[in-house]
Amino acid sequence: MRLRVVNPNTTAAMTAKIEQCARAVAGPGTLVEAVHPEMGPPSIESHYDEALSVPGLLAEIAWGEEAGVDGYVIACFGDPGLDAARELARGPVVGIAEAAMHAASFLGRRFAVVTTLGRTSGRAWDLAERYGMQRFCAGVHACEIPVLELDTNPDARKIIIEACREALAVDDADSIVLGCAGMADLCRAISAEIDAPVIDGVAAATLTVESLVRLGLRKSGRGEFATPPPKAYRGFLREFGL
Ligand code: 5HY
């Protein structure tokens, strides 16, 4: 099977990291390719960034459909464009926040999210509510490290580990959900340091999509997520008309 992991921001180094983490868990018969749009924000840290990441994300989904891709991961913790992507794709589309929160709910009573900037915390709470995870989500904590500084700040790992320790204590959490695709490579090291389950949504979503495809399950073509009605778009988004 072919899975496409879409990093909605435009930073190639992050896409490469995401691809490595997804490939590390995918099964032997699964071809994983990570891609990112050529247009859009280099990182997604605001509602504005998120909104303007969606056209590029959807273009990657549309190209994946032409290439016969079997399923998709949206590799950004805001799960941007998830519903629209589901309308375009034949196969399953799973967001990393969605997959990570569900995985955490199988491991204990309460999880805490540890994310980058505090301004994105509201989005994490919104997603927990959307996914029916409010009863499991005990807290959302920010490290105040900008997404692209996860790789350049020498103290990033230490700061994140401390935030995870605090989250476990303050929220009486059983596990930690990492709130950024850019933290995916730190997952196992953090888990060993804090002696608690730490869930990286890139890996969780990759295996969720792989399992759904292996079960022969595709996105429902009925109702809400059916292919959108065709119409001509105008102006800058003209090419997005179906
Ligand atoms: C992400 N932003 O996973 C989110 C994390 C965040 O560019 N990739 C991004 O802070 O919301």
Side-chain angles (χ1 to χ4, degrees), residues 31-219:
L31 172 66
V32 173
E33 54 189 342
V35 298
H36 62 265
E38 288 313 310
M39 63 177 176
S43 61
I44 298 165
E45 299 169 313
S46 65
H47 295 298
Y48 187 83
D49 289 342
E50 185 168 307
L52 292 176
S53 74
V54 173
L57 166 85
L58 294 177
E60 292 300 334
I61 302 287
W63 289 326
E65 289 301 285
E66 290 174 12
V69 166
D70 297 296
Y72 302 86
V73 169
I74 296 179
C76 172
F77 199 76
D79 293 352
L82 178 61
D83 292 331
R86 283 181 172 156
E87 290 180 330
L88 293 184
R90 284 158 301 175
V93 184
V94 175
I96 66 171
E98 181 180 36
M101 289 182 182
H102 280 86
S105 73
F106 303 144
L107 304 175
R109 167 69 65 180
R110 303 155 64 85
F111 68 77
V113 176
V114 172
T115 189
T116 53
L117 298 182
R119 67 177 298 154
T120 68
S121 299
R123 183 77 173 129
W125 283 113
D126 288 347
L127 292 175
E129 183 178 358
R130 169 183 165 164
Y131 299 137
M133 289 286 145
Q134 309 98 303
R135 58 195 285 260
F136 293 100
C137 186
V140 179
H141 300 255
C143 303
E144 295 306 342
I145 301 175
V147 172
L148 298 185
E149 291 184 19
L150 289 170
D151 286 342
T152 58
N153 181 336
D155 295 328
R157 178 184 295 209
K158 183 164 62 111
I159 294 167
I160 295 167
I161 287 170
E162 281 316 305
C164 292
R165 282 204 175 95
E166 181 185 341
L168 289 178
V170 165
D171 296 335
D172 188 24
D174 301 303
S175 65
I176 296 291
V177 166
L178 295 179
C180 180
M183 298 177 179
D185 59 329
L186 301 175
C187 186
R188 291 182 189 273
I190 295 170
S191 184
E193 280 285 335
I194 67 173
D195 191 25
V198 175
I199 299 98
D200 149 47
V202 172
T206 298
L207 287 180
T208 301
V209 173
E210 183 181 65
S211 301
L212 292 168
V213 173
R214 186 158 296 151
L215 289 167
L217 296 172
R218 297 163 70 92
K219 182 275 310 254

Side-chain angles (χ1 to χ4, degrees), residues 222-241:
R222 304 161 57 86
E224 179 178 350
F225 294 120
T227 304
K231 60 189 71 169
Y233 279 28
R234 299 191 184 92
F236 180 65
L237 295 177
R238 185 172 49 255
E239 299 304 312
F240 284 84

